[in-house]
């Protein structure tokens, strides 16, 4: 990897709290990368094109590599997109070391790491720049709302990290990326390292997809207690027959949509206007049953969105006809008695 790799920003401005002073400046690399990972040597520029997320001590940008003539690096005609995490040098360098230690599972459990740079920003410390593959998007729902098959993948990833001596201490939907039924775990600066020194089950070789009888919620001789807690508390791995949507627990079945679909088409109108109780729960379950019937008839998500309000209104009308609903608030002005 060339020592003169540069970061070039195409943004209007950096975030106001960011140490970089001027987007027209080139942030020149001062130190060699920790990890050389298949970036052709002629691609010496990292062109930043968008802001992906901002955090207290770092910002993540979308970018791509170009050569000196501005030609982008592509594979099979598709531009290679990367994520550039820029922030305080120490935590970025620490995260880089974790990426390097987990090199065997890069591109499968965690994103592939390309390079680490130390950039000059006019201060003595400088900035850390970690460049990794840009993979999908963050899961936009609580992890316990994922399908069981998806939880299996995440638990298998956590076990792979565990078997390399690492435990993720901030497992959250914002730190899990999703694309094409695959997942990657990110934000590795907050990790328990050398976990194998304290773990009684190392390595853990459990096949979560099979979920054998000995995979219980209690800590036992077959699996690490930390993985048990993550499965139970963060992913709710054993709650197979109950879907938790908002504050409602709905029994799963062939006539009920997936948790993901229920979350995206949840009838907030009903919750807002009607008193919580068994009648409201029955209305919501009936609404979802009708949605699932449309799914079985081949409705796409876009069509479901278009008709969801009509379905909700029909459920409400049917409930009113049976006199089973009650309002939780007054929806018309009170008469003035003066």
């Amino acid at each position: 990897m060339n020592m003169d790799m540069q970061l070039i920003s195409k943004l209007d401005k950096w975030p106001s709290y960011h140490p970089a002073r001027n987007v027209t400046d080139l942030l020149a690399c001062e130190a060699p990368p920790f990890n050389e990972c298949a970036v052709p040597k002629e691609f010496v520029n990292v062109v930043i094109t968008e802001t992906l997320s901002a955090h207290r001590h770092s910002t993540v940008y979308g970018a791509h590599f170009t050569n000196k003539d501005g030609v982008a690096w592509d594979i099979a005609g598709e531009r290679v997109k990367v994520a550039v995490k820029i922030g305080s040098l120490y935590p970025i360098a620490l995260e880089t070391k974790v990426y390097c230690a987990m090199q065997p599972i890069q591109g499968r459990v965690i994103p592939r790491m390309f390079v680490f740079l130390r950039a000059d920003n006019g201060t003595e410390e400088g900035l850390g720049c970690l460049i990794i593959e840009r993979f999908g998007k963050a899961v936009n729902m609580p992890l316990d709302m994922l399908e069981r098959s998806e939880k299996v993948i995440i638990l298998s990833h956590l076990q792979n990290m565990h078997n390399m001596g690492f435990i993720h201490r901030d497992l959250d939907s914002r730190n899990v990326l999703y694309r094409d039924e695959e997942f990657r775990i990110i934000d590795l600066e907050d990790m328990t390292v050398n976990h194998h020194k304290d773990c009684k089950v190392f390595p853990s070789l459990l096949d979560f997809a099979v979920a054998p009888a000995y995979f219980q919620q209690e800590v036992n001789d077959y699996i690490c207690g930390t993985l048990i807690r993550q499965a139970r508390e963060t992913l709710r791995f054993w709650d197979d027959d109950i879907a938790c949507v908002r504050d409602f627990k709905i029994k799963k079945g062939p006539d009920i949509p997936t948790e993901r679909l229920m979350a995206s088409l949840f009838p907030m109108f009903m919750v807002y206007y009607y008193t919580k109780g068994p009648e409201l729960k029955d209305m919501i379950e009936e609404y979802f049953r009708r949605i699932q019937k449309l799914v079985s008839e081949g409705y796409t998500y876009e069509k479901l969105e278009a008709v969801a309000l009509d379905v909700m209104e029909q459920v409400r009308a049917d409930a009113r006809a049976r006199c089973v609903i009650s309002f939780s608030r007054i929806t018309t002005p009170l008469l003035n008695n003066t």
Side-chain angles (χ1 to χ4, degrees), residues 150-202:
E150 296 171 327
K151 295 178 182 180
V152 163
I153 296 173
I154 294 174
L155 282 171
S156 298
H157 285 356
L158 294 173
Q159 181 172 247
N160 279 316
M161 297 170 72
H162 164 273
N163 289 346
M164 301 193 75
F166 295 94
I167 294 291
H168 202 296
R169 295 190 296 188
D170 189 20
L171 188 63
D172 187 85
S173 57
R174 69 181 183 278
N175 294 332
V176 179
L177 304 180
Y178 174 80
R179 185 186 71 196
D180 298 333
E181 299 182 358
E182 292 187 24
F183 293 87
R184 301 286 187 271
I185 298 176
I186 59 171
D187 280 357
L188 307 182
E189 70 270 18
D190 189 19
M191 302 284 288
T192 297
V193 300
N194 297 323
H195 173 72
H196 57 284
K197 293 183 178 179
D198 301 317
C199 184
K200 297 179 180 179
V201 185
F202 190 87

Side-chain angles (χ1 to χ4, degrees), residues 162 195 198-202 204 206 213-233 238:
H162 164 273
H195 173 72
D198 301 317
C199 184
K200 297 179 180 179
V201 185
F202 190 87
S204 175
L206 189 64
Y214 58 73
F215 182 28
Q216 304 296 327
Q217 297 190 45
E218 297 78 19
V219 177
N220 52 44
D221 295 334
Y222 298 99
I223 187 171
C224 169
T226 301
L227 291 180
I228 285 280
R229 286 191 295 274
Q230 288 178 323
R232 180 180 62 238
E233 299 170 8
W238 289 277

